Amino acid sequence: MHSHRIAILIVSLLMASATRVSAQEKSDAAAIRALELKWTESYKQHSIDILSSLLADDFVITIEDGSIFSKAGYISHTADSTVRVQVAEMSDLKVRMHGDTAIVTGAYHEKGESSGKPYEYHDRLTDVWMKTGGKWQVVASHYSVPLKQ
């Protein structure tokens, strides 16, 4: 009888622990979604300070044409005053949590002018966020243009 109570207690503790983990993952996933939107808006507005706080020091991004930028290179690109982003929107965002790592996939649409010439992208994205010292930062990002068929 005593071992039956211990077994019930262990199962109860495991279930409570799983519920806490699930709630934390949902909370973290919501935080990541909000950070994705903050990143997009800071990029659009050329808000370098905000952008810099969201990117890890070893951040790397691959953009539509296959170019790769470090954090400094991406910030320099974002600060380019000859680029005017008129539309920057994300859709179909899916966040998968793996402990202190989050993988985000989705769609991105950007439209604007670069050196006075119009441009428009419809991309798919993958972003990798890591929580270090209690703070989420993006460590890697990849944007690609889907093939039109």
Side-chain angles (χ1 to χ4, degrees), residues 1 5 19 26 69 72 93 134 143:
M1 180 102 159
R5 286 184 183 177
T19 300
K26 285 180 182 176
F69 293 98
L93 286 183
Y143 283 68

Side-chain angles (χ1 to χ4, degrees), residues 43-63:
Y43 169 77
K44 182 179 176 185
Q45 301 298 326
H46 301 277
S47 300
I48 303 307
D49 290 343
I50 294 171
L51 190 64
S52 183
S53 72
L54 296 174
L55 306 179
D57 288 341
D58 61 349
F59 170 79
V60 64
I61 185 170
T62 304
I63 61 170

Side-chain angles (χ1 to χ4, degrees), residues 4 6 37-38 69 83 86 89 110 115 119 122-123 127:
H4 180 66
I6 291 175
L37 297 175
K38 186 176 183 179
F69 293 98
V83 176
Q86 297 155 340
E89 55 194 8
E110 181 175 322
S115 300
Y119 72 88
H122 290 273
D123 301 342
D127 293 332

